[in-house]
Amino acid sequence: MPTKSVVVGSSVGLHARPAQLIAQAAEELDVEVLIGIPGGDPVDASSSLMIMTLGAGPGDTVEVSSDDESALETIAAMVEKDLDA
């Protein structure tokens, strides 16, 4: 599965609001997208609760994976933005 490493851009990390926005977008894409901490087990990007369990803070690197290149780029771009602004 293709993977892209990105830096968390939200000032609160992948917490409540950013996680919810990412999960909603991933669910609408209707393809499997995973997010994980390098070296850890990835979680389903369409679940805000699972995203929050990663504990990714601002500036942390996470890996976004999907067999769908467009979905991969969409979710990776969202992770890099400050979604809490």
Side-chain angles (χ1 to χ4, degrees):
M1 182 177 284
T3 301
K4 182 174 185 175
S5 293
V6 293
V7 175
V8 176
S10 288
S11 59
V12 296
L14 296 183
H15 205 272
R17 180 168 164 71
Q20 180 184 18
L21 293 171
I22 291 167
Q24 285 175 342
E27 190 171 333
E28 289 173 8
L29 293 169
D30 202 31
V31 295
E32 184 179 42
V33 181
L34 303 174
I35 296 179
I37 302 294
D41 291 328
V43 299
D44 183 355
S46 66
S47 169
S48 59
L49 182 59
M50 294 305 294
I51 293 172
M52 289 188 290
T53 66
L54 295 173
D60 287 352
T61 299
V62 297
E63 295 175 336
V64 180
S65 305
S66 180
D67 284 328
D68 184 294
E69 187 67 29
S70 176
L72 173 64
E73 292 300 325
T74 297
I75 300 303
M78 290 187 76
V79 171
E80 292 177 313
K81 286 184 181 177
D82 186 356
L83 298 174
D84 205 49

